[in-house]
Amino acid sequence: MKIEQEIEIRQISIYCDVFKTILKEHSILSISKACVFSFLVWQESLLGSCIFKSNMTKNIVPTYLSLLLGKQEQFLKSYEYMLKALNLLIANSIIKYNNGMLQLLNLDCQPICKENEFTKKVIEESKRWSDKNFMREVLYNV
């Protein structure tokens, strides 16, 4: 197997796990938010820590999305893997896709990565945002 194929398989596997982690905690999330948060959760997992404190309460979504600054190329490259991961999860009935929304069907899964408390708060707060406003903020930061 070529190294490029191995990298692709590992990336898809990682994003499968990250999607399951996020959806296990937050039940239902739009596909656009799930992709953005999957990228950021994985980036945090690589760093091993979060730079924001969980007691923050104001402007937490834009603050968190500021982590996208300067990562446009990485995000776009990862997006391909995210879509392939979602395709696998949906095809294997692990995630349900309906009208742009994703829902984890198998709640017994044991994801490897974890969200920190601040990220959990941000994702819950983002549910109050329309996808249009959310993506506008993402584009502003990317």
Side-chain angles (χ1 to χ4, degrees):
M1 185 181 320
K2 292 183 182 178
I3 194 158
E4 293 86 16
Q5 291 172 322
E6 241 181 85
I7 291 170
E8 181 176 15
I9 291 168
R10 288 175 192 241
Q11 288 292 321
I12 291 169
S13 174
I14 287 166
Y15 279 111
C16 283
D17 186 65
V18 176
F19 281 120
K20 290 188 291 188
T21 299
I22 290 172
L23 291 171
K24 185 171 184 175
E25 180 70 32
H26 303 283
S27 302
I28 297 174
L29 203 57
S30 73
I31 193 167
S32 56
K33 291 175 185 172
C35 286
V36 171
F37 288 127
S38 290
F39 176 77
L40 291 172
V41 166
W42 174 236
Q43 292 296 306
E44 281 181 22
S45 293
L46 288 175
L47 296 174
S49 65
C50 179
I51 61 172
F52 303 113
K53 300 205 184 281
S54 62
N55 62 357
M56 290 178 64
T57 57
K58 296 190 187 259
N59 298 321
I60 61 174
V61 175
T63 300
Y64 188 71
L65 292 178
S66 70
L67 293 173
L68 290 169
L69 285 168
K71 295 190 174 154
Q72 178 182 12
E73 193 172 310
Q74 281 178 289
F75 180 73
L76 292 175
K77 196 171 198 175
S78 295
Y79 200 69
E80 176 186 350
Y81 301 128
M82 287 183 242
L83 294 179
K84 287 180 179 182
L86 282 175
N87 187 40
L88 274 173
L89 293 168
I90 293 166
N92 289 300
S93 298
I94 297 169
I95 288 179
K96 176 182 171 186
Y97 174 77
N98 188 19
N99 291 330
M101 302 300 282
L102 300 171
Q103 179 180 12
L104 184 65
L105 296 175
N106 181 359
L107 297 176
D108 294 332
C109 67
Q110 295 299 319
I112 297 168
C113 74
K114 296 183 182 189
E115 297 174 43
N116 61 54
E117 291 304 312
F118 181 73
T119 303
K120 288 177 185 178
K121 284 173 51 175
V122 170
I123 294 173
E124 286 303 313
E125 177 67 26
S126 77
K127 288 181 177 182
R128 297 184 188 117
W129 289 40
S130 70
D131 278 357
K132 183 178 179 180
N133 286 341
F134 180 81
M135 291 309 292
R136 186 177 295 139
E137 190 68 31
V138 168
L139 291 173
Y140 175 78
N141 282 292
V142 172

